[in-house]
Amino acid sequence: MAAAGLGGLGALLRTVRYEVLPARTTEEKVLAHVPRDVVVTVTASPVKGLEPTLDLAGRLAAHGYRTVPHVPARLLRDDLHLKEVVDRLREAGVDDVFVPAGDADPPAGPYEGSLPVLRRLSELGGPFARVGVTGYPESHPLIHDDVTVQAMWDKREHATYLVSNLCFDPRVLGEWLGRIRRRDVTLPVHVGVAGPVQRAKLLAMATKIGVGESARFLTRHPSWFVRLAAPGGYAPHTLLARTRNALTDPASKVAGLHLFTFNQIAETERWRRSLLDRLEG
């Protein structure tokens, strides 16, 4: 694996977050392959609801991992449900949550987007030390780009960091980092990057998460799947090399990398360690 062009990225590769899906074997894979200093974020599905996410996050926290459950606004039934989720996570020792709007349609309750949930968390006294929200380098299929930047500005008082959604275009990613900073969005960013996805495993995973879920994912993000599934169509180190200047510019305030593992956890950690060894060897 070539490490050319990746100088300066070692610090970001050491401050990674691994996004995993709460499947039957996820806990076993994390325990077998993920060091305790790697943050593990746990997604939530509009089909399965929050329970698998909360359960896995709690179990991983008990194993000593710093876990970040996704708490999509559109999966919350009401204020009482939110309070129950908060209490459960705090009891498990979780102090970091990621609050996207979510894809549930219709919503389970009154929350259409993440801002009302963020405000409610503030009213509850800010029970979590860290609260993340989503950034969209590439156009969101349902939201205009200017609206997404404005939304980040609106959330700045309640959130502590951004996680950028997947982006495969180095130019677009670099321009987005500059654009949000010019708009005075100062939250640190964990840049979302797809890990070294194997095509056959990605297709198998898409099948396992369910027909409805797969259809929703592909409808909203068709370019992601095409780029990830195409043989030879994507390599994470190439994206990082081409975006290096923006990622390492102090003005970009990039805090680390958020690696979408698609539950290819062993492969992702092996790729990261190999790249770090080449960079630091």
Side-chain angles (χ1 to χ4, degrees), residues 68-69 71 89 94-99 121 128 130-133 161:
V68 184
V71 182
L89 292 176
V94 172
D95 67 353
D96 188 344
V97 293
F98 177 63
V99 186
L121 288 174
F128 302 106
R130 292 169 51 82
V131 178
V133 294
Y161 65 92

Side-chain angles (χ1 to χ4, degrees), residues 28 35 45 60 88 93 109 116 118 121 156 182 185 191 201 221 236:
E28 175 185 339
S45 160
L60 290 177
R88 179 171 174 180
L118 296 171
L121 288 174
R156 74 194 185 285
R182 288 192 299 273
V185 176
V191 173
K201 289 191 176 183
H221 307 288

